[in-house]
Amino acid sequence: AFLAKLAAAGTQPTAHTNTDGKSDDITVLSKGLPVGAAELSPIEFDGAITRQLSQDKDTSTAQQPTRLYVTDVVTSSKHRRMGIANTLMDALESFALEKFGTDTMLYLHVKNDNAAAQKFYQNPKRGYVAPTSEQLQNIDVRRLEDNA
């Protein structure tokens, strides 16, 4: 499943953010040890944007939306069902909103056979849904999935 969400204000998580200019990593610690991590990156969109909106005659003044890809959301098997994934996603979503603004779109893929992950992302708290045709405009989804 390919899912998306518009960045919006949420709760303030307890997580450590590491930014290296290429991607932004979030790590959740328990007793000083990492128990979960996630990455937010624009790199997966390299070559997947088929046409920039600013090249359209009708939308020459339109600003290209920020598109970020959520990758590698992982939780230690011993720490599952403790809210770690929610903390990670809260941190990624808050970071995207603060750094890039409210017109930022977050995208992710979930394997079709991973019912637990689909349920997690699509629940009302997370709010990820199948992207609209407008949100997919100018995105080569197959290439994006290959990049991820």
Side-chain angles (χ1 to χ4, degrees), residues 2-3 18-19 33 39 46 51 55-56 65 74 82 88 92 98 105 109 117-118 128-129 136-137 139 142 146:
F2 183 55
L3 305 173
N18 175 36
T19 60
L33 299 173
E39 180 181 68
D46 287 352
R51 181 174 44 126
Q55 294 175 349
D56 294 344
V74 295
M82 299 176 144
L88 289 166
L92 288 178
E98 291 170 17
M105 286 298 302
H109 278 98
Q118 288 190 31
Y128 286 82
V129 296
L136 290 176
Q137 184 179 11
I139 297 176
R142 181 175 283 148
D146 289 344

Side-chain angles (χ1 to χ4, degrees), residues 24-81:
D24 301 297
D25 303 318
I26 306 291
T27 305
V28 175
L29 302 176
S30 174
K31 298 181 183 177
L33 299 173
V35 295
E39 180 181 68
L40 186 63
S41 171
I43 295 170
E44 285 72 18
F45 286 96
D46 287 352
I49 304 299
T50 59
R51 181 174 44 126
Q52 298 295 321
L53 290 176
S54 61
Q55 294 175 349
D56 294 344
K57 291 179 183 178
D58 297 30
T59 59
S60 60
T61 59
Q63 184 174 348
Q64 182 73 15
T66 300
R67 295 179 177 115
L68 299 171
Y69 196 83
V70 177
T71 63
D72 302 322
V73 178
V74 295
T75 302
S76 164
S77 60
K78 294 180 182 180
H79 294 86
R80 294 204 175 125
R81 305 277 186 244

Side-chain angles (χ1 to χ4, degrees), residues 95-146:
F95 178 83
L97 178 66
E98 291 170 17
K99 185 169 182 178
F100 300 103
T102 57
D103 63 344
T104 301
M105 286 298 302
L106 304 180
Y107 295 85
L108 57 87
H109 278 98
V110 178
K111 291 182 181 177
N112 288 331
D113 64 348
N114 192 342
Q118 288 190 31
K119 182 178 177 182
F120 170 74
Y121 290 112
Q122 293 177 330
N123 78 46
K125 176 177 174 45
R126 292 275 55 98
Y128 286 82
V129 296
T132 66
S133 58
E134 183 179 316
Q135 291 167 335
L136 290 176
Q137 184 179 11
N138 304 322
I139 297 176
D140 180 343
V141 176
R142 181 175 283 148
R143 176 76 182 262
L144 178 62
E145 189 169 4
D146 289 344

